[in-house]
Amino acid sequence: MNCRSSTMHFVFIGFIMQSALMRSADTINCSQPTAESLLQALRESVFGKTEVRPVINPRTPTKIQLGFVLYAVLDVDEKAQILDTFIWLRFDWTIEGLSWDPVECGTDRITLPRKKLWRPDIVINEFISDNQAPKTYYLYLYNNGKAEDQLPVHVISSCNLDIYTFPFDIQNCTYTFSSYKHTIRDVQILFLEPVEATLKKSLKYMETKGEWQLTDMSARKSANSSYFNMDGLDRWDELVYNIVLKRRPTLYVVNLLIPSYCLITVDLCSFLLPPQKMDRSAFKMTLILGYTVFLLLMNDLLPVTGDTIPLISLLSLYIKSAGPKV
Ligand SMILES: *[C@@H]1O[C@H](CO)[C@@H](O)[C@H](O)[C@H]1NC(C)=O
Ligand SMILES: *[C@@H]1O[C@H](CO)[C@@H](O)[C@H](O)[C@H]1NC(C)=O
């Protein structure tokens, strides 16, 4: 027997023994069917391993199932190109090899402080501010090793907002969920549920009935991003959600469009007055006053961005140029 094959044997046996050891260490036994005894058993086998991904073979990627519900659209800031929303995020993963007998331990799931376990570092790439949502502390751990984490997130995200058709504009914003550090070799992200279900739940639970209305959502899985890897071999697994929001234009129609059309109509009709009469200039002076007030109001209502102006701004151009012609 040559030396090389005996080394191979040794490594192989060592590997089997190691995984067998790890497996038996993770299948936990409770002395009594109480939470106390389950906790004691978990303390010995799972707690304190927050630093390493819970897999038996380090080459196995951890699969994260991710889903969310869009709970509120708080603000859309055209100038800063920011979308301000609130979501309920949920992600599930599995602690490999961990299991317990629900009869022996008295329960099939237990709540645990989040910091006791390894957690994936899921982020939304468009995120540009702190999460100001209420802090939460617990997650569920199931007897088959599944961990289920859920948390509220106040998402202040960047979005490319197009205001050309204001106030009848539709915005299409993106949330890209991915692990911040783990690449596709270590962490893979899957859909917890189809995007249709996410849309349906979001429409059901959404509390805000403000200026913006959620109309559609689409999602796809992508693994094309390789931000910092110059060789491009390691990629990040991502879930890309597109969120389509439509502005409710009533406020702007009532305060902007109707008054301006009235002013313009009255202005045009004023040419029917005989020009010699004093009445016409007095009438025009009143109109100019009306225009001025209206322009001030309009400046407050119109959104501004860097390089596009809404089409409706042409109205104000018209008023500015046509107004003073007495
Ligand atoms: C739990 O019990 C099983 C079967 O009785 C045993 O194989 C395993 O080693 C035990 N696990 C621990 C952590 O004691
Ligand atoms: C939103 O943008 C995505 C990607 O750019 C596109 O696939 C999708 O069709 C857009 N949705 C709408 C309603 O425009």
Side-chain angles (χ1 to χ4, degrees), residues 170 172 216 218 220 242 244:
I170 290 170
N172 189 349
D216 197 11
S218 59
R220 69 196 152 82
N242 280 100
V244 181

Side-chain angles (χ1 to χ4, degrees), residues 2-16:
N2 66 32
C3 174
R4 185 160 162 209
S5 95
S6 82
T7 316
M8 287 290 280
H9 268 108
F10 185 72
V11 168
F12 187 64
I13 290 169
F15 183 73
I16 294 222

Side-chain angles (χ1 to χ4, degrees), residues 24-29 44-45 104:
S24 72
D26 281 344
T27 307
I28 58 172
N29 303 315
E44 282 157 16
S45 63
E104 187 187 303

